[in-house]
Amino acid sequence: MQISANLKNRLKNADKIVFLTGAGISAESGIPTFRGENGLWKNFRPEELANFNAFIKNPDLVWEWYQYRREIVRKAKPNSAHLAITGFQKLFKDVTVITQNVDNLHTRAGNENVLELHGNIEKNYCIDCKQRYDFTDFSENKKGVPRCKKCGGIIRPDVVWFGESLPQDIFRKAENKTMQSEIFFVVGTSAVVYPAAGLAYLAKDYGSYVVEINIDTTDFSYSVADEVLLGKAGEVLPKILSLAETLRK
Ligand code: OAD
Ligand code: ZN
């Protein structure tokens, strides 16, 4: 893997770095990505399941799809890419993880300052009274959507669906950290879902050095990326971490 003098220089001197992550960072934990060969969306069009109207129309189906994904997530373990980020957090002053993933693996890996743009699959809330529930409250409810213990409303996963807006306070924090960053790593995302993907352009506008890590090229590779490191996140990130450790000794 070739790493440029520019990136080495930033790895040596930067204080503030950001990781924008997508489903690809969890692929090596055995969690299917959304798009591509074995993508989760392959047998369903996203708009069929991941939107509020679909949920109201067929809450049992959507709930069961999330319960199925939760089981995969619960069995999965953070991989060497998530763990490398914990290493970066020991080395650099200010490290932020902005994730589109709902799988909770960053937190389980011990990553701090995790901004979840699309929510968290382990959390739920009642669509009527907004009472919050954990995954464990309903781990037995594999079939059929559960009802709120307070008001009888139906319970939905605390994730952002198509057509819904991102949590504004979290997105604003993500924008601030992005604008201040000196290195902006984009890891395992297909770069097609906005506004998350737009953060890479914001980083670039504010003078950050944008490094893409992906097994394949994406729209970013030919537009915003200053450097593209092709390979698995679980292999590339530990290598960059060990280089940074050497450079900052
Ligand atoms: P995608 O499934 O669209 O893209 C996954 C990306 O990871 C692809 O570019 C793959 O090439 C790459 N990839 C796969 N394995 C990899 C590995 N081992 N190392 C590095 N890269 C790898 O997932 P996202 O970009 O995260 O939104 O999708 C964005 C959003 O679309 C999701 O958050 C979800 C979905 O709709 C919501 O649920 C709101
Ligand atoms: Zn309720």
Side-chain angles (χ1 to χ4, degrees), residues 22-24 28 33-35 100 118 160 162 188-190 193 214-215 233:
E28 289 156 81
T33 57
F34 292 96
R35 298 171 185 82
Q100 300 168 85
H118 293 165
V160 176
F162 286 94
T189 174
S190 57
V193 174
N214 200 305
I215 50 171

Side-chain angles (χ1 to χ4, degrees), residues 127-225:
I127 64 167
D128 292 328
C129 75
K130 314 292 179 224
Q131 170 70 32
R132 306 191 63 80
Y133 292 94
D134 276 341
F135 164 62
T136 47
D137 294 334
F138 305 117
S139 39
E140 300 309 314
N141 286 68
K142 294 203 174 70
K143 290 226 173 315
V145 74
R147 296 270 169 179
C148 177
K149 289 169 186 142
K150 275 191 162 170
C151 78
I154 50 180
I155 308 291
R156 64 167 283 176
D158 187 4
V159 297
V160 176
W161 281 329
F162 286 94
E164 295 180 327
S165 50
L166 271 50
Q168 283 310 298
D169 48 335
I170 294 175
F171 193 67
R172 212 148 287 137
K173 265 189 213 155
E175 285 180 321
N176 283 333
K177 291 296 184 183
T178 295
M179 291 188 281
Q180 293 166 16
S181 69
E182 293 153 272
I183 312 175
F184 191 86
F185 290 101
V186 186
V187 188
T189 174
S190 57
V192 296
V193 174
Y194 284 77
L199 291 171
Y201 295 88
L202 185 67
K204 176 103 171 175
D205 282 349
Y206 278 77
S208 193
Y209 191 75
V210 179
V211 180
E212 177 175 57
I213 298 164
N214 200 305
I215 50 171
D216 235 323
T217 54
T218 70
D219 284 355
F220 282 158
S221 319
Y222 308 103
S223 55
V224 72

Side-chain angles (χ1 to χ4, degrees), residues 12 244-249:
K12 186 169 163 49
E245 282 167 345
T246 310
L247 292 166
R248 293 169 79 91
K249 262 195 189 126

